[in-house]
Amino acid sequence: MSVAVPGRGQQYSTLEIVRNGLWSFSKGFADSLRGAIELFFLDYRRAQQREQKLQQRDIDKELLLNRNSPVREIQNIAKRRALERREKERLRESSGNKQKKTEPTIMERTLKCCVLNGGVFGVSIVLFENLLLPLVQTLLYIILAGSQERADALWSYTQPVLSVAFSTLWVLPFFLLSKIVNAIWFQDIADLAFRSSQGRPLVNLSISVMIADTVFSIVVEIIFLVQGKVFSMVPIKIIGAALNLLHNCLLHSLYSFEYKWFSQGLELHKRLDYVETNWPYFLGFGLPLAVITSMPESQVMAGCVFSILFPLFIVSGNQAIIVSSPGIPPLNIFSPTIIISNAIFSRTIQTGSSKSLR
């Protein structure tokens, strides 16, 4: 049996379609794990590129100063003097008392994300739930050892009060603050990773278009997340769970590649079309993060796990080479989300224009 690909005029057998889909899926899965390895090499490559640029700048300067000498002799002199100057500058920087302010590295930003979200926020929640609450309960039962019923009644009031106080005074403020800090650090990691492999960002959009694109992206992603939750309510649990996992995989892939695509100047509709067209690859790419973040029962802990691991997937998305799936039709899974988003923005614009006319 063979299947024709719409718009291409090429036919693929069922076996070829299945093979192409499995290859794209496995390639996406493998590429998603590259970030853990590439993270250790990107900073070194950036340092090497910076050093080569500085050496070339010094060589060009020496060539300009000695332009009246013979060609071969001037090149050798320029290279030797440039290397000597660079060596002197390195020694001066290493032995100087004043530390020169350097640009943060990808590894530094990633470690800060791990410390903030895992070492501080996540550990504090684990300690509260598994150490502080049991300790208070134990002390309460020791103090009221003569009356088990009074201890049970008092603990039934104390435990919710402590939980609400902890959530209100610590979890909620820290969660909101960490979201802002994470957004800044994620952008730094994405920019550094992009410059280390592809140079300066190619964004040539106006400020108004960039703001509109960002706002529309946030709305689309929120509605798509809700769409996945709605599909998870399908009466057959296995199918509902599979549909929800599909949404989460594609959404996490979109998160990971969005920084790179935005730096390349791709607008939202092109980014979504890219995900729908190559959905087997993005399904495999987003699978590890979607599965790991679905394990914690608490949404707050799931957010901590996501924030710890997401920098690795930003690096993976930046270094990945997307593999297409010939013969597999696009999956128009974002269509309902786009329709709802367009309706919301159209109504908002109409409401705003009608108020301005009044």
Side-chain angles (χ1 to χ4, degrees):
M1 180 181 176
S2 61
V3 179
V5 182
R8 296 183 186 177
Q10 189 173 356
Q11 289 189 342
Y12 294 91
S13 65
T14 305
L15 182 61
E16 288 176 328
I17 293 174
V18 173
R19 184 182 62 192
N20 293 337
L22 290 176
W23 167 246
S24 298
F25 175 85
S26 59
K27 189 65 169 60
F29 185 86
D31 284 349
S32 69
L33 305 179
R34 285 181 60 190
I37 301 173
E38 290 288 340
L39 187 66
F40 294 95
F41 296 100
L42 284 177
D43 288 325
Y44 174 76
R45 291 173 190 162
R46 289 181 62 244
Q48 290 292 102
Q49 291 172 0
R50 189 184 302 113
E51 187 67 23
Q52 289 175 1
K53 287 181 180 178
L54 291 174
Q55 285 185 7
Q56 189 60 45
R57 184 197 65 185
D58 292 340
I59 290 172
D60 293 339
K61 187 184 294 183
E62 290 293 335
L63 288 172
L64 185 63
L65 293 174
N66 300 278
R67 56 183 177 272
N68 295 325
S69 303
V71 177
R72 183 172 297 180
E73 181 182 350
I74 186 177
Q75 289 179 347
N76 294 332
I77 293 174
K79 289 180 182 179
R80 186 173 68 250
R81 290 182 178 176
L83 291 173
E84 290 175 355
R85 183 181 295 138
R86 290 300 307 144
E87 189 64 29
K88 288 179 181 179
E89 289 180 2
R90 276 198 297 267
L91 290 173
R92 188 165 56 251
E93 288 175 2
S94 60
S95 61
N97 294 326
K98 293 183 178 180
Q99 291 292 329
K100 187 179 178 181
K101 188 177 180 181
T102 58
E103 188 180 30
T105 63
I106 300 174
M107 180 65 75
E108 179 186 343
R109 282 287 187 250
T110 304
L111 291 177
K112 284 183 177 180
C113 285
C114 294
V115 171
L116 176 68
N117 298 286
V120 179
F121 193 31
V123 171
S124 67
I125 296 174
V126 172
L127 290 177
F128 175 79
E129 294 179 349
N130 298 284
L131 182 63
L132 183 61
L133 286 181
L135 180 62
V136 172
Q137 185 180 17
T138 303
L139 292 174
L140 192 63
Y141 277 87
I142 291 174
I143 294 171
L144 300 175
S147 178
Q148 183 73 22
E149 292 182 359
R150 286 181 60 190
D152 290 338
L154 186 58
W155 176 246
S156 65
Y157 288 106
T158 304
Q159 193 267 342
V161 170
L162 290 176
S163 297
V164 170
F166 179 73
S167 299
T168 304
L169 300 177
W170 174 252
V171 175
L172 183 60
F174 197 97
F175 184 74
L176 296 175
L177 177 63
S178 67
K179 285 295 181 185
I180 298 172
V181 175
N182 286 331
I184 297 171
W185 286 350
F186 290 162
Q187 188 63 56
D188 285 346
I189 292 170
D191 290 342
L192 293 171
F194 187 86
R195 286 205 298 267
S196 68
S197 59
Q198 302 188 41
R200 296 180 64 83
L202 305 176
V203 179
N204 54 4
L205 303 175
S206 62
I207 299 297
S208 59
V209 173
M210 290 173 62
I211 294 174
D213 185 89
T214 302
V215 172
F216 195 69
S217 297
I218 294 172
V219 173
V220 166
E221 289 163 0
I222 292 173
I223 295 175
F224 188 74
L225 183 63
V226 174
Q227 177 181 310
K229 296 297 182 183
V230 171
F231 275 98
S232 67
M233 298 176 185
V234 172
I236 304 175
K237 288 187 176 180
I238 297 178
I239 297 177
L243 290 173
N244 187 40
L245 181 63
L246 171 65
H247 281 74
N248 286 333
C249 290
L250 297 181
L251 185 60
H252 286 138
S253 293
L254 180 62
Y255 287 155
S256 303
F257 281 85
E258 199 162 31
Y259 295 95
K260 174 185 176 180
W261 288 340
F262 193 81
S263 296
Q264 292 175 337
L266 293 179
E267 297 180 1
L268 178 62
H269 68 278
K270 293 181 180 178
R271 303 198 292 264
L272 297 181
D273 181 67
Y274 214 49
V275 173
E276 290 180 335
T277 304
N278 304 287
W279 65 268
Y281 177 88
F282 291 107
L283 178 63
F285 189 95
L287 183 62
L289 189 58
V291 171
I292 294 172
T293 53
S294 65
M295 290 179 179
E297 296 181 0
S298 169
Q299 291 295 321
V300 175
M301 286 301 297
C304 287
V305 174
F306 176 85
S307 299
I308 293 171
L309 297 177
F310 188 55
L312 303 179
F313 285 83
I314 293 176
V315 175
S316 298
N318 185 79
Q319 302 298 112
I321 299 175
I322 299 169
V323 176
S324 60
S325 309
I328 297 181
L331 181 67
N332 298 321
I333 195 169
F334 285 96
S335 295
T337 299
I338 294 298
I339 292 172
I340 296 172
S341 302
N342 288 334
I344 292 173
F345 277 93
S346 298
R347 181 165 295 181
T348 303
I349 293 171
Q350 289 175 0
T351 304
S353 60
S354 62
K355 286 183 179 180
S356 63
L357 289 174
R358 291 176 188 176

